């Protein structure tokens, strides 16, 4: 029988294992199953199943439970799946595959996913009755059957799979031995110390371990069945059955036979697209492939990446070109009772790296972390207690937010650090089997509204591989649900599914300078083209204002569309009071004001009949101005050299100052000069929440700098910079960011700090809350703004430089713009008539709002009238 | 936003008991923001114009505080319906029905509005 390809091109997949199945899914996701005929040749008597979970068969999972193949999926995508029919020959010239059944298929693209075969050392009698390998469901069924008549079993190989197999034999009621040629168990994953701890635990489980010895011969009885084995040290071990688990080899015979290049030690040579180096029509993925980095990967996660890469390449997707250049080899042993994990650079191969080791052989505990010179966590080994595996693996490649030793100390020793998954950055890979990041998992809860771990597993595939990440997965899902209560959506508001930080990145990266553009392109489906809402308009308005010079928007917040975005106070450049009148706060940098300045303020307040008060921020507030009086008041203030104090904006408020060295006998630096410099530098800077600062002239701290978003305290050598302080409802003392800075260093650090905050904080999130929320907290901020670990400091500085050089006073701009001034009227149709409900009564020689006036003629609950 | 010249001399009118009352020029209404108007009987109205050009008018008094400030609130759309949020304590009022979206018991007067 010959299946001739019609007009539709044909993809033939040889091997329906884990990676083959994933490849089919990737084809379907890219729509290739609709445009191509897809034929699958599957050697095993059942479609793809979860080989990683193979051993769970012995704890009660049926072959059906292990199946990874949804027959509905196969049917829906018209995939021709030939079970129990392996490919026998490939004719690359004719582009034709012949299967054992005689089926002949002509292909346009051939994908080999033939996996591995277990390596069996060439010892005499290796094929005797009672000898097994551990790879397929059929292998397990045979082992199970044979074990019924056996009492002792031996596993050859003390690696990951060998230990699993030994555990399985033990579970079947056999006295079990492990024979390992290397001097320790799991030689690939753990070092000597880890091997010792592991040995103890394994022996405690009742398994006999023989390390440093090789198998020389399988001894058989008269009936030809196994009775024992001879070891390289001359000893003999009695056993009724032998399971070889001495490693795997790529199944590349089919490829060799048709002339495809293979590596010296096997594996079909492919390039970064997973295309064979020999034939552009043939791909190889999974354990049979020798990747472009010269390695054959015996784990499922890299295979999945290869599957995705091959599918993307076949789809010739220009926008989403994937490559496979290598992968991480983290593993965690799933065997019941033994906790073993290794991740990253477990053996400390990186130059100059250092170890942090905790070892307690009595308790069978061994934990090692490999730390780079700069504190980066490079890898590690955990034996006996792999609790922290998920978190540590995800932190690999970054500087952990707490001291590494506190991560490996056992509970009870000192203060054990509980580093929850909340400490992880969003791009941390939680599930390495499926390459699922923390961000994706959070997205499943927030965007896809998953509320349980099973739902998240289904949605993201996380946790459906080796299962070692399920614990962290659960913690993350819970944390995410808890954090958001019933409202699980992390989006800014009903109009945007993105967070403020994400919107900032979009605006900056794409130079989007109008709200409507952002809404129409990035808003939620129902919100596009609409009017937005009271949450996102000011937030986006603030982002645009912070980035104005860089993205080509006007720096004036009342310009064009920006006017419609501003919160009511920003729109009127003053603070609305309870009766509809306004307060006016001129900027008084550093709290320093001349007598003339004080007199002007006094005169203005007197002339307009305003209530005056010294604020908690070292300046003067004038209350009770009517909306139509605002421009008149500003005109006089601007004329006297004052400008807006931004008391209304989510922007810099004040930089408080003590009197400092100039007058104070204790002062060691000129705090007033520095406060003025800082206030003038950052004035008008729009940010996620208001910003406050202070400068004290010595440690006595009369300016209360440690309660500010950024506070500066003078030292004999320069300045100490504190960040993340807060007064308000939840006071917080600021943390010391850097010490003994020069003027220039101080300003550069503050520039970076503020811009990093503006970039990453949530809407209405003060620096204190932000600092505590940010994974890694202060240390992370220090890394970013002091060490420039993200390499963004130059950009942060230039964004600030642009802000500083483009600053213009909003009051002055407004009073010079007749069109804008037209808005400062009580009534559009009666600009000269004052609002009749704004009135004042005397109190302590000044005025206060006439509140009863507000209730006159006010019938709040009347029905809809005048329709 | 710039308006096409032919729309600039359009007048905004409110329906009162005794007929249409002209308030202002259409171009005095900035999309997304409001203005206040004084009616002959002393009542105050907040007038809004949305992005699509649709006009709305509701009572200018904030039903919660009594201050005449609704015209200074931020507007938006909630589930496809236009609203304004009070600039004082942020309660949202549906611009078409006058119904408060955050307190079922509260509703403000609405006015029929047109351009002519
Ligand atoms: C005027 C002033 C009180 C005074 O008469 O002294 C004041 C008045 C207001 N404060 Fe304040 N705060 C004033 C100093 C403070 C201080 C003290 C300070 O800055 O040293 C604090 C605590 C320090 C801090 O912020 O960490 C303070 C913590 C708050 C908070 C709580 C912030 C927090 O993080 O918890 C709010 C609410 C908010 O911003 O969300 C707030 C909000 C407000 C608002 C804007 C509330 C509002 O929306 O109407 C008030 C408007 C004033 C107006 O209409 O002009 N005000 N407020 C002070 C103005 C200082 C200035 O010159 O700009
Ligand atoms: C017990 C056990 C535990 C494991 N635990 C883990 C773990 O914890 N973490 C981890 O990452 N990995 C683990 N692995 C490894 C993991 O299972 C493999 O990396 C993964 O299965 C590789 O997928 P694959 O599709 O490349 O190969 P396979 O899953 O082996 O699939 C290849 C398929 O191709 C078929 N085939 C071969 N030749 C032909 C032919 N000519 N025609 C048709 N079909 C053919 C084979 O029969 C097989 O079904 C474990 C493996 C075992 C055996
Ligand atoms: S902080 Fe030091 S320098 Fe400043 S006023 Fe207080 S005592 Fe003087
Ligand atoms: S890490 Fe293996 S399933 Fe997630």
């Amino acid at each position: 029988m010959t299946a001739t390809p019609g007009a539709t091109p044909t993809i033939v997949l040889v091997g329906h294992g884990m990676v083959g199945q994933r490849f089919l899914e990737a084809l379907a996701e890219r729509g290739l199953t609709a445009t191509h005929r897809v034929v699958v040749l599957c050697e095993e008597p059942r479609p793809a199943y979860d080989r990683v979970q193979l051993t769970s068969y012995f704890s009660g999972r049926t072959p059906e439970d292990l199946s990874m193949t949804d027959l509905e999926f196969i049917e829906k995508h018209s995939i021709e799946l030939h079970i129990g029919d392996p490919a026998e020959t490939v004719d690359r010239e004719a582009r034709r595959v012949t299967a054992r059944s005689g089926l002949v298929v002509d292909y346009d693209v051939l994908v080999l996913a033939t996996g591995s075969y277990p390596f069996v050392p060439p010892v005499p009698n290796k094929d005797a009755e009672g000898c097994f390998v551990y790879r397929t469901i059929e292998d397990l069924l045979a082992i199970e059957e044979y074990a019924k008549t056996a009492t002792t079993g031996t596993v050859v190989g003390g690696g990951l799979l060998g230990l699993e197999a030994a555990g399985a034999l033990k579970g079947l009621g056999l006295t079990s031995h492990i024979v390992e040629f290397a001097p320790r168990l799991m030689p690939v994953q753990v070092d000597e110390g880890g091997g010792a701890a592991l040995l103890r635990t394994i022996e405690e489980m009742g398994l006999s371990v023989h390390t440093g010895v090789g198998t020389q011969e399988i001894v058989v009885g008269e009936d030809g069945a196994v009775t024992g084995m001879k070891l390289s040290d001359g000893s003999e071990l009695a056993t009724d059955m032998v399971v070889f688990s001495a490693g795997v080899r790529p199944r590349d015979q089919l490829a060799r036979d048709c002339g495809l290049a293979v590596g010296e030690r096997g594996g079909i040579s492919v390039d970064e697209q997973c295309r064979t180096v020999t034939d552009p029509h043939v791909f190889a993925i999974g354990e049979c492939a020798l990747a472009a980095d010269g390695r054959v990967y015996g784990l499922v996660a890299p295979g999945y990446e290869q599957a995705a890469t091959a599918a993307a390449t076949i789809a010739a997707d220009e926008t989403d070109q994937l490559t496979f250049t290598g992968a991480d080899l983290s593993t965690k042993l799933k065997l019941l009772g033994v906790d073993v994990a290794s991740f990253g650079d477990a053996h400390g191969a990186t130059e100059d790296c250092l170890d942090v080791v905790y070892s307690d052989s009595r308790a069978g505990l061994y934990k090692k972390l490999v730390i780079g010179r700069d504190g980066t966590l490079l890898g590690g080994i955990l034996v006996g207690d792999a609790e922290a595996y998920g978190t540590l693996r995800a932190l690999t490649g970054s500087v952990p937010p707490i001291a590494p030793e506190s991560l490996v100390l056992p509970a009870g020793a000192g203060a054990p650090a509980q580093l929850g998954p909340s400490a992880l950055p969003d791009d941390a890979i939680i599930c390495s089997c499926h390459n699922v990041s923390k961000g994706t998992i959070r997205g499943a809860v927030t965007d896809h509204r998953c509320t349980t771990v099973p739902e998240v597993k289904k949605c993201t595939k996380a946790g459906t591989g080796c299962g070692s990440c399920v614990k962290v997965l659960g913690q993350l899902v819970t944390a995410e649900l808890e954090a958001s209560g019933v409202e699980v959506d992390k989006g800014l508001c009903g109009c945007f599914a993105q967070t403020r930080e994400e919107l900032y990145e979009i605006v900056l990266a794409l130079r989007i300078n109008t709200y409507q553009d952002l809404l129409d392109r990035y808003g939620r489906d129902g919100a596009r083209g609409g009017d937005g809402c009271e949450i996102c308009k000011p937030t986006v308005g603030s982002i645009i204002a912070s980035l104005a010079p860089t993205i080509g928007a006007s720096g004036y917040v009342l310009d064009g569309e920006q006017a419609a975005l501003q919160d009511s106070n920003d729109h009127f450049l003053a603070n609305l009071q309870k009766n509809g009148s306004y307060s006016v706060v001129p900027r008084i940098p550093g709290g320093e004001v001349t007598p003339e300045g004080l007199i002007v303020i006094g005169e203005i307040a007197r002339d307009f009949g305003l209530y005056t008060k010294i604020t908690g921020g070292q300046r003067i507030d004038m209350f009770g101005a009517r909306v139509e009086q605002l421009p008149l008041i500003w005109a006089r203030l601007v004329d006297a050299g004052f400008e807006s104090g931004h008391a209304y904006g989510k922007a810099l408020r004040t930089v408080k100052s003590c009197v400092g060295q100039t007058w104070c006998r204790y002062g060691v630096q000129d705090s007033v000069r520095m406060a003025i410099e800082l206030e003038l530098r950052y004035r008008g800077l729009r940010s996620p929440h208001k910003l406050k600062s202070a400068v004290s002239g010595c440690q006595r701290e009369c300016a209360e700098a440690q309660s500010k978003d950024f506070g500066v305290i003078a030292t004999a050598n320069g300045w100490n910079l504190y960040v993340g302080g807060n007064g308000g409802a939840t006071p917080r003392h600021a943390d010391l960011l850097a010490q003994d800075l020069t003027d220039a260093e101080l300003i550069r650090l503050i520039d970076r700090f503020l811009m990093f905050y503006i970039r990453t904080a949530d809407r209405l999130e003060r620096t204190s809350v932000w600092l505590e929320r940010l994974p890694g907290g202060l240390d992370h901020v220090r890394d970013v703004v002091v060490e420039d670990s993200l390499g963004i400091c130059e950009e942060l500085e230039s964004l600030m430089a642009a802000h500083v050089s483009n600053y213009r006073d909003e009051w002055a701009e407004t009073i010079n713009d007749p069109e804008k001034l037209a808005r400062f009227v009580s009534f559009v149709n009666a600009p000269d008539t004052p609002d009749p409900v704004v009135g004042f009564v005397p109190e302590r020689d000044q005025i206060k709002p006439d509140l009863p006036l507000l209730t006159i003629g006010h019938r709040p609950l009347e029905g809809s009238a005048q329709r | 936003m710039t308006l096409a010249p032919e729309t600039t001399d359009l007048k905004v009118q409110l329906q009162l008991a005794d007929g249409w009352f002209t308030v202002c020029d259409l171009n005095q209404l900035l999309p997304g923001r409001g203005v206040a108007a004084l009616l002959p009987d002393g009542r105050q109205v907040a007038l809004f114009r949305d992005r699509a050009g649709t006009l709305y008018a509701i009572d200018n008094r904030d039903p919660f505080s009594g201050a005449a400030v609704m015209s200074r609130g931020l507007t938006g759309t909630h589930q496809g319906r236009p609203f304004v949020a009070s600039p004082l304590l942020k309660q949202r009022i549906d611009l078409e029905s006058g119904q408060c979206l955050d307190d079922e018991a509260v509703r403000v007067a609405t006015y029929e509005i047109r351009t002519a």
Side-chain angles (χ1 to χ4, degrees):
Chain A
M1 177 187 129
T2 308
T4 31
T8 39
T10 303
I11 300 172
V12 173
L13 170 67
V14 177
H16 192 222
M18 299 183 75
V19 173
Q21 170 61 21
R22 172 50 77 88
F23 172 72
L24 294 178
E25 288 164 20
L27 285 185
E29 276 160 25
R30 291 183 177 275
L32 289 171
T33 46
T35 52
H36 289 66
R37 174 181 178 222
V38 180
V39 181
V40 184
L41 298 177
C42 168
E43 176 186 57
E44 292 187 55
R46 58 188 87 243
Y49 55 89
D50 192 347
R51 201 177 307 287
V52 168
Q53 295 294 346
L54 200 60
T55 305
S56 70
Y57 169 75
F58 291 119
S59 50
R61 278 175 85 179
T62 64
E64 290 70 48
D65 292 339
L66 289 174
S67 173
M68 298 178 71
T69 316
D70 180 353
L71 289 176
E72 245 173 60
F73 165 85
I74 299 288
E75 220 165 275
K76 181 172 157 215
H77 294 282
S78 314
I79 294 169
E80 299 167 36
L81 175 60
H82 300 272
I83 291 170
D85 196 7
E88 289 208 311
T89 55
V90 174
D91 179 346
R92 289 199 292 115
E93 206 142 297
R95 282 199 240 141
R96 175 167 299 170
V97 186
T98 309
R100 179 176 296 164
S101 66
L103 173 75
V104 173
V105 194
D106 288 347
Y107 63 81
D108 294 278
V109 176
L110 175 66
V111 179
L112 301 174
T114 48
S116 310
Y117 64 91
F119 170 68
V120 177
V123 292
N125 297 325
K126 65 179 170 56
D127 299 320
E129 200 185 325
C131 288
F132 299 90
V133 292
Y134 197 84
R135 177 84 196 169
T136 65
I137 289 184
E138 272 52 48
D139 293 337
L140 263 57
L141 294 175
I143 290 172
E144 188 181 38
E145 189 57 33
Y146 200 81
K148 285 181 184 160
T149 60
T151 52
T152 307
T154 302
V155 174
V156 176
L160 190 74
L161 294 188
L163 291 182
E164 272 200 45
L169 292 184
K170 170 122 203 318
L172 290 170
L174 307 188
T175 305
S176 308
H177 298 268
I178 301 167
V179 175
E180 167 58 53
F181 186 70
R184 59 172 187 273
L185 291 172
M186 286 181 70
V188 181
Q189 288 87 7
V190 307
D191 59 3
E192 222 173 291
L198 182 59
L199 177 66
R200 219 185 147 76
T201 320
I202 299 279
E203 285 183 335
E204 248 159 43
M205 290 173 63
L207 287 102
S208 307
V209 180
H210 314 262
T211 52
V213 285
T215 309
Q216 282 201 317
E217 187 186 334
I218 306 297
V219 183
V220 294
E222 278 169 13
D223 58 353
V226 175
T227 58
M229 49 201 285
K230 281 188 183 152
L231 303 179
S232 59
D233 62 355
S235 63
E236 224 185 287
L237 187 67
T239 187
D240 303 322
M241 60 191 292
V242 175
V243 177
F244 289 103
S245 180
V248 295
R249 298 288 183 271
R251 283 191 73 173
D252 53 15
Q253 196 58 46
L254 189 66
R256 287 172 193 262
D257 291 346
C258 68
L260 291 170
V262 294
E264 231 170 80
R265 283 181 290 154
I268 308 162
S269 300
V270 297
D271 62 15
E272 292 187 356
Q273 274 72 45
C274 298
R275 209 189 278 274
T276 59
V277 297
T278 320
D279 186 340
H281 295 283
V282 185
F283 290 75
I285 55 177
E287 287 194 336
C288 65
L290 177 66
D293 66 345
R295 300 173 80 157
V296 172
Y297 287 90
L299 292 170
V300 73
Y304 283 175
E305 271 183 61
Q306 293 169 348
T309 303
T313 307
I314 294 167
D317 190 335
E318 297 286 326
T319 59
D320 182 21
Q321 282 187 342
L322 301 177
T323 55
F324 181 87
T325 53
D328 164 47
L329 294 173
S330 305
T331 38
K332 184 179 175 194
L333 191 60
K334 307 168 301 299
L335 193 60
L336 229 75
V338 201
D339 262 348
V340 185
S342 82
F343 54 93
D345 178 10
H347 291 279
T350 311
E351 216 180 302
D352 280 347
C353 64
L354 301 163
D355 291 352
V356 176
V357 178
Y358 172 83
S359 162
D360 176 354
S361 355
R362 225 166 27 108
L365 280 180
Y366 177 84
K367 303 183 188 183
K368 177 174 97 171
L369 298 183
V370 180
I371 311 284
R373 269 185 102 141
D374 58 351
T376 308
L377 176 64
L378 297 172
I381 295 168
L382 305 172
V383 177
D385 171 17
E387 245 328 87
Y389 171 69
T391 313
L392 289 173
R393 183 184 59 191
L395 279 171
T396 302
S398 67
V399 178
I402 56 175
E405 52 275 18
S406 53
L407 292 168
V408 293
L409 284 180
Q418 273 302 309
L419 192 57
S422 57
L424 299 170
D426 258 357
D427 57 359
I429 298 301
I430 301 299
C431 176
S432 53
C433 285
H434 293 275
N435 203 9
V436 184
S437 67
K438 175 178 169 186
T440 308
I441 290 165
R442 290 181 41 193
V445 176
T446 52
D447 299 348
H448 300 277
R449 302 194 173 270
C450 300
T451 53
T452 62
V453 171
E455 280 172 26
V456 173
K457 281 177 157 181
K458 194 158 175 233
C459 175
T460 62
K461 286 204 155 85
T464 59
C466 70
S468 69
C469 62
V470 174
K471 184 159 181 268
V472 179
L473 189 65
Q475 291 170 332
L476 270 178
V477 173
T478 315
E480 201 57 37
L481 287 173
E482 264 174 14
S484 36
V486 191
E487 280 275 317
V488 289
D489 196 323
K490 268 268 155 157
L492 179 66
C493 60
C495 310
F496 286 99
Q498 298 86 348
T499 60
R500 179 191 171 280
E501 179 178 359
E502 289 161 347
L503 291 176
Y504 177 100
E505 295 295 343
I506 293 172
V507 167
L508 176 60
L510 303 179
R511 303 283 193 264
I512 292 180
N513 54 23
T514 73
Y515 169 82
Q516 285 190 3
D517 193 15
L518 189 69
L519 181 68
D520 293 352
R521 285 163 68 183
Y522 295 94
R524 295 185 197 259
D525 281 347
R528 294 185 188 180
D531 279 281
C533 75
E534 82 283 13
I535 293 170
C536 58
K537 287 205 289 193
T539 304
V540 173
S542 162
I543 292 173
I544 290 176
S546 319
L547 293 173
T550 306
I551 59 174
S554 166
Y556 174 44
V557 295
L558 297 189
D559 226 18
E561 183 213 37
Q562 286 191 58
L565 305 179
Q566 306 304 327
D567 247 326
S568 182
N569 279 352
D570 291 72
H571 191 235
F572 287 93
L573 308 176
N575 291 49
L576 183 64
Q577 305 298 314
K578 64 205 301 178
N579 66 343
S581 67
Y582 284 89
S583 79
V584 176
V585 186
R587 184 168 299 291
I588 299 185
E592 185 181 88
V593 58
T594 61
E596 284 71 34
L598 282 174
I599 289 167
V600 170
I601 290 177
E603 285 173 349
I604 294 171
R606 184 195 56 209
D607 295 352
F608 288 88
L610 306 175
Y611 167 80
T612 54
K613 179 180 179 301
I614 309 289
T615 71
Q618 283 188 341
R619 40 196 198 168
I620 299 167
D621 203 343
M622 293 172 269
F623 294 82
R626 297 170 188 279
V627 65
E628 66 275 16
Q629 291 176 324
L630 290 173
L632 306 172
I633 294 170
W634 295 335
R636 285 181 57 180
L637 285 168
V638 169
D639 199 40
F642 286 102
E643 52 181 47
S644 167
H646 295 102
Y648 47 82
K650 300 295 174 234
L652 180 80
R653 294 288 165 85
T654 68
V655 181
K656 256 170 88 164
S657 172
C658 75
V659 64
Q661 187 189 38
T662 318
W663 293 89
C664 176
R665 59 190 164 144
Y666 292 117
V668 291
Q669 303 284 348
D670 189 350
S671 53
V672 177
R673 175 187 62 79
M674 181 51 76
I676 293 173
E677 185 169 346
L678 294 179
E679 184 154 347
L680 295 181
R681 183 169 183 82
Y682 303 122
R683 64 188 161 181
L685 179 66
R686 282 338 201 250
S687 56
H689 207 317
K690 60 192 176 193
L691 288 168
K692 295 181 177 182
S693 177
V695 184
S696 282
C698 85
Q699 266 323 319
R700 283 170 192 74
E701 248 282 69
C702 297
E704 302 171 306
Q706 289 169 95
S707 69
K708 301 301 181 192
D709 296 278
F710 57 106
V712 179
I713 301 178
T715 70
N717 306 316
W719 308 98
N720 284 355
L721 174 58
Y722 293 79
V723 294
N726 206 163
T730 317
R732 181 184 191 276
H733 260 108
D735 295 309
L736 181 61
L737 184 70
Q739 275 171 293
D740 290 331
L741 304 163
T742 62
D743 285 11
E745 287 167 346
L746 175 70
I747 285 168
R748 193 170 65 211
L749 262 193
I750 300 175
D751 281 2
R752 295 173 174 184
F753 172 79
L754 290 179
M755 274 301 172
F756 185 51
Y757 162 66
I758 290 174
R759 180 174 205 144
T760 55
D762 259 341
R763 155 183 182 266
L764 299 187
E765 188 176 46
R766 286 290 288 267
T767 55
S768 57
V769 183
W770 167 76
L771 201 61
E772 301 213 323
R773 172 184 61 86
L774 213 60
L778 178 71
D779 286 337
H780 177 60
V781 170
R782 187 179 287 124
D783 276 348
V784 174
V785 305
V786 182
E787 314 294 347
D788 197 10
S789 63
L790 299 180
I792 56 172
C793 285
E794 210 183 301
E795 183 182 3
L796 298 178
E797 284 173 37
S798 76
L799 287 170
M800 187 63 86
H803 163 77
V804 173
S805 60
N806 282 277
Y807 171 79
R808 280 166 302 171
D809 176 35
E810 292 160 8
W811 285 351
E813 292 224 4
T814 306
I815 56 177
N816 290 323
D817 183 339
E819 191 223 322
K820 299 284 151 26
L821 279 181
R823 278 180 223 156
F824 294 88
V825 294
S826 52
F827 299 106
V828 68
N829 61 339
D832 298 324
T833 311
D835 177 354
V837 299
V838 173
F840 303 94
V841 290
E843 183 176 72
R844 291 188 298 276
D845 299 334
Q846 296 201 68
I847 58 161
K848 70 170 186 183
D850 181 356
L851 295 180
L853 202 54
L854 293 181
T855 57
I856 297 173
H858 176 52
R859 285 160 293 150
L861 306 182
E862 69 196 351
S864 175
Q866 302 283 349
R867 269 263 156 202
Chain B
M1 111 141 2
T2 39
L3 293 165
E6 63 271 22
T7 65
T8 49
D9 34 76
L10 283 177
K11 299 285 182 210
V12 176
Q13 297 183 326
L14 290 176
Q15 167 106 77
L16 301 182
D18 49 0
W20 289 97
F21 172 73
T22 298
V23 176
C24 61
D25 289 346
L26 178 60
N27 65 10
Q28 287 176 282
L29 283 181
L30 182 73
R33 291 237 87 114
V35 297
L38 191 60
L39 299 187
D41 63 0
R43 279 178 300 159
Q44 299 190 25
V45 182
L47 287 69
F48 301 92
R49 173 180 186 178
D50 72 12
R51 179 178 168 184
T54 313
L55 303 179
Y56 308 94
I58 64 168
D59 192 357
N60 192 35
R61 301 281 289 271
D62 172 16
F64 295 90
S65 67
V69 294
M70 291 311 289
S71 64
R72 302 176 208 162
L74 273 171
T75 59
T77 12
H78 175 69
Q79 295 173 346
R81 295 185 64 85
F83 71 85
V84 62
S86 164
L88 281 170
L89 299 177
K90 316 283 169 182
Q91 296 92 344
R92 294 164 305 164
I93 306 286
D94 185 309
L95 286 174
E96 278 171 343
S97 66
Q99 176 62 48
C100 176
L101 301 176
D102 301 297
D103 186 341
E104 248 178 59
V106 178
R107 179 186 276 264
V108 303
T110 58
Y111 295 82
E112 212 151 298
I113 184 167
R114 71 172 189 194
T115 49

